[in-house]
Amino acid sequence: MTHSAYPTVRLKPKAEARAIRHGFPWVYANELVTDRRTKALEPGSIAILEDSDRKAMGVVTVNTGSKIIARMLDRNPTATIDQNWFETRFERALAHRTALFDEPFYRLVHAEADGLPGVIVDRFGDVAVIQPNAAYADGMFDVLAAALEQVSGVSTIVKNGSGRARSLEGLDEELTVVKGSIDAPVPVPMNGATYMADILGGQKTGLFFDQRPNHAFVQRLCKDAKTLDVFSHVGGFSLAALAGGAKSALAVDSSAAALALAEQGAEASGVADRFATRKGDAFAMLEELAKEGEIFDVVVCDPPAFAPSKKALEAGLRAYERVARLAAPLVKPGGYLTLCSCSHAADLTKFRNASARGIGRAGRRMQLVRTGFAGPDHPLLPHLAESGYLKSLTFRLDI
């Protein structure tokens, strides 16, 4: 039995129906029959997906203007996508995060893996930031926000409609506080430090929760260490290092606003006396520090995505190699160098090879001591291996 209120869309005979039955969440544009009726569907419409034999496979959202023309919402073809449906999804997501964390600061919803395609929700205590990156989520935003409020009890909800994913769906940029109010950065406790999240003016949702386990690992290496945190944003690795007993931490970033938040975080964490910042281009700063003869026990480089798309891959890998080449000379023998990538297009092997090449070109020997990824509040679907975008490599040099 199918849901009579929704139109139907159908897979072409050559489409991989079995992969979708086994959990693959997307239907690509060349796999769906796009007759006049399907083309007439509004972006974000809800429909029943049928295989080429007209057997119902589940409820999908359709956007004929996107390469991912349909996203699986529910494998039960009789499901109704309403506030109750969203509440069930949020309850499931919340149960997982509550098991992981003592305090409500985490990624609450990580898109497809949490059964909400194209939806990201970051939670900062009583504040939730929703990124509706798919047309259906944008169109049903009020219902989605009401469900989130009901389940989580947050008092402030922000709609952050920015980023590449939305433009691929044909959606406009938008940033609004839809419930409650925010008039200052929100303090976020993490790994013993306090970070300041600028929800309305910062990058993405204001803070990167994905690095939490990688901050925690580097923190263990930083007892009594002189630490350098390049591309530091709001002090991710440096504040964690100081909370772990680092002797000093220098944060380098090109954004004065991000460094000001890092300084506020150091103040709130009670470590301002051991914290310093330098504003400037990261590559130039690495060269400058080398000229000054600076040497650190632990160096971390966490740049923005150098390879956000396949087109940018080769240039991106060269940039990762250059970061490694410039950072390696700043690490004392036996010290640690952590290099990160948040590029979807650069897989782990390519990123690791570029990093190792750069360290080698700097004349340093290395051992890889840890490979890290995003934390467990960023679950993945096994079918979307590339959605594991965050990679963190920690090397020990000259051992």
Side-chain angles (χ1 to χ4, degrees):
M1 179 190 150
T2 59
H3 197 297
S4 57
Y6 296 140
T8 57
V9 291
R10 197 166 76 254
L11 289 177
K12 290 179 178 174
K14 285 182 179 167
E16 249 317 337
R18 194 171 53 180
I20 293 163
R21 281 205 176 89
H22 291 171
F24 190 79
W26 297 340
V27 179
Y28 294 108
N30 61 355
E31 297 178 308
L32 202 72
V33 174
T34 43
D35 52 20
R36 208 165 47 201
R37 199 176 47 81
T38 301
K39 279 184 180 153
L41 292 173
E42 285 285 312
S45 292
I46 309 295
I48 307 294
L49 177 68
E50 296 180 342
D51 64 15
S52 55
D53 297 327
R54 296 188 182 274
K55 188 169 177 242
M57 298 175 72
V59 180
V60 294
T61 171
V62 180
N63 183 351
T64 55
S66 171
K67 271 188 186 165
I68 301 171
I69 197 168
R71 298 167 187 259
M72 183 62 77
L73 294 175
D74 200 307
R75 291 179 190 283
N76 173 6
T78 67
T80 303
I81 310 303
D82 57 10
Q83 185 169 329
N84 283 340
W85 183 87
F86 280 110
E87 284 181 17
T88 303
R89 290 291 198 269
F90 284 131
E91 280 162 3
R92 203 179 299 161
L94 183 62
H96 173 52
R97 277 67 181 187
T98 307
L100 291 172
F101 303 109
D102 295 332
E103 296 180 277
F105 297 89
Y106 40 66
R107 172 147 296 179
L108 174 55
V109 171
H110 196 51
E112 273 76 357
D114 279 306
L116 286 163
V119 178
I120 301 287
V121 182
D122 281 341
R123 181 174 187 178
F124 304 88
D126 287 334
V127 179
V129 182
I130 306 174
Q131 289 182 285
N133 294 332
Y136 84 99
D138 205 60
M140 298 183 76
F141 187 84
D142 292 348
V143 176
L144 191 157
L148 176 64
E149 185 186 346
Q150 180 66 36
V151 170
S152 67
V154 293
S155 55
T156 300
I157 294 177
V158 176
K159 178 181 182 181
N160 183 330
S162 62
R164 187 168 168 266
R166 276 178 70 84
S167 58
L168 293 175
E169 283 275 299
L171 300 169
D172 295 334
E173 297 249 334
E174 186 186 348
L175 179 63
T176 42
V177 181
V178 293
K179 183 178 191 293
S181 64
I182 295 181
D183 48 20
V186 177
V188 177
M190 216 165 30
N191 290 319
T194 299
Y195 295 87
M196 304 308 284
D198 183 359
I199 308 281
L200 299 180
Q203 288 179 40
K204 296 280 173 72
T205 60
L207 196 76
F208 301 115
F209 285 126
D210 50 5
Q211 284 281 23
R212 181 179 347 220
N214 303 319
H215 290 162
F217 175 75
V218 168
Q219 184 179 58
R220 294 179 68 91
L221 308 176
C222 287
K223 184 95 179 82
D224 300 323
K226 182 181 172 187
T227 309
L228 173 65
D229 178 12
V230 187
F231 306 97
S232 69
H233 190 228
V234 297
F237 282 93
S238 38
L239 296 185
L242 292 167
K247 191 165 56 187
S248 68
L250 173 62
V252 172
D253 203 274
S254 60
S255 162
L259 290 176
L261 288 165
E263 282 165 354
Q264 285 176 42
E267 202 67 57
S269 305
V271 297
D273 57 324
R274 292 179 280 139
F275 183 61
T277 62
R278 273 169 91 152
K279 180 188 170 305
D281 172 75
F283 293 103
M285 288 289 151
L286 287 167
E287 288 174 334
E288 214 169 276
L289 287 164
K291 275 187 198 138
E292 291 166 15
E294 289 281 6
I295 294 288
F296 299 85
D297 300 293
V298 178
V299 175
V300 182
C301 298
D302 182 17
F306 286 146
S309 62
K310 285 200 175 109
K311 230 170 31 191
L313 179 60
E314 287 314 312
L317 290 172
R318 282 195 299 275
Y320 286 122
E321 181 182 328
R322 189 175 167 218
V323 166
R325 179 172 59 79
L326 294 175
L330 299 173
V331 183
K332 76 165 193 186
Y336 295 92
L337 173 60
T338 292
L339 302 169
C340 305
S341 162
C342 56
S343 293
H344 281 274
D347 66 25
L348 177 60
T349 304
K350 289 190 174 80
F351 172 58
R352 191 173 52 218
N353 290 347
S355 298
R357 241 188 344 265
I359 295 169
R361 285 184 61 201
R364 305 296 294 268
R365 285 170 302 116
M366 76 209 89
Q367 57 177 186
L368 178 61
V369 296
R370 179 180 180 268
T371 303
F373 303 97
D377 52 343
H378 292 62
L380 302 175
L381 285 181
H383 318 80
L384 299 177
E386 76 277 14
S387 62
Y389 61 98
L390 180 70
K391 299 155 283 276
S392 170
L393 305 172
T394 297
F395 298 92
R396 195 166 183 219
L397 300 197
D398 300 339
I399 292 299

